[in-house]
Amino acid sequence: NVVYQKGYEVLAFYYDSKTGNVYNNTGKGSDGSVYVFIPITSGSNNELRAVALLSIPTEVHMLKEMFKVDLTILNQASSDFVLQDSTVTLELPPGMTLMENAIGSSSATVSLGDIVGQASKKVSWIVRGDRSGDYILNASFGATLSTFDKYITQNFASPNIHVDGLNALSVTVNL
């Protein structure tokens, strides 16, 4: 007789060392989890050495879909033409959220500083799809073109981004 107690749950199974049979080796916890006791034996007399407890949560949790968004600004002019005080702003539609992260910007608006001719600067964001659907992300760029002291802007739109959400979720449990 082996008993496992977790909080107020008490689960037990019975092992017959003479036959090596296990009885009542599955149980259901108060949290809905399924527990399976697996005896570990040795020798010809099936002596019980240890018990493995397999806990299978029956709740399903899903991480939302994450997307990496990159925007590269390339100044193809000669080195005399500098894009000064460059900034980019990522505009997210409802249903998408900008995430804090270690690989890119956690702010929708990012200063790229000066971009000299024949150079480029890149910014990356991580966005989360919160709801199923199709989305277009927009970004706007602004800078002053140094030689002419003229402020220039450019808008960018992503290709369609599809968020599956729970529609793509299926669970198969084999015991």
Side-chain angles (χ1 to χ4, degrees), residues 41-47 49:
T41 62
S42 69
S44 59
N45 61 354
N46 294 321
E47 186 176 341
R49 295 288 183 193

Side-chain angles (χ1 to χ4, degrees), residues 54-173:
L54 176 64
S55 172
I56 306 166
T58 54
E59 290 183 357
V60 176
H61 299 276
M62 179 181 140
L63 291 176
K64 295 182 180 180
E65 292 175 72
M66 303 288 185
F67 302 91
K68 183 178 180 206
V69 178
D70 294 324
L71 178 62
T72 301
I73 302 297
L74 171 62
N75 183 350
Q76 293 184 310
S78 70
S79 59
D80 298 337
F81 296 91
V82 178
L83 298 173
Q84 295 175 321
D85 302 319
S86 301
T87 60
V88 292
T89 300
L90 180 65
E91 300 156 11
L92 296 175
M96 301 289 278
T97 301
L98 180 61
M99 301 303 298
E100 290 189 30
N101 66 87
I103 65 165
S105 177
S106 298
S107 174
T109 299
V110 177
S111 173
L112 298 176
D114 293 347
I115 306 172
V116 298
Q118 299 300 304
S120 65
K121 294 221 177 154
K122 177 180 173 182
V123 63
S124 298
W125 296 274
I126 301 293
V127 297
R128 180 183 70 210
D130 294 324
R131 292 192 308 254
S132 298
D134 293 312
Y135 299 92
I136 302 290
L137 305 183
N138 293 292
S140 58
F141 169 78
T144 300
L145 185 54
S146 65
T147 305
F148 302 104
D149 197 30
K150 172 131 174 100
Y151 190 76
I152 60 171
T153 61
Q154 179 65 49
N155 293 314
F156 304 94
S158 72
N160 185 60
I161 297 174
H162 181 73
V163 176
D164 288 313
L166 292 176
N167 298 332
L169 183 65
S170 68
V171 177
T172 304
V173 178

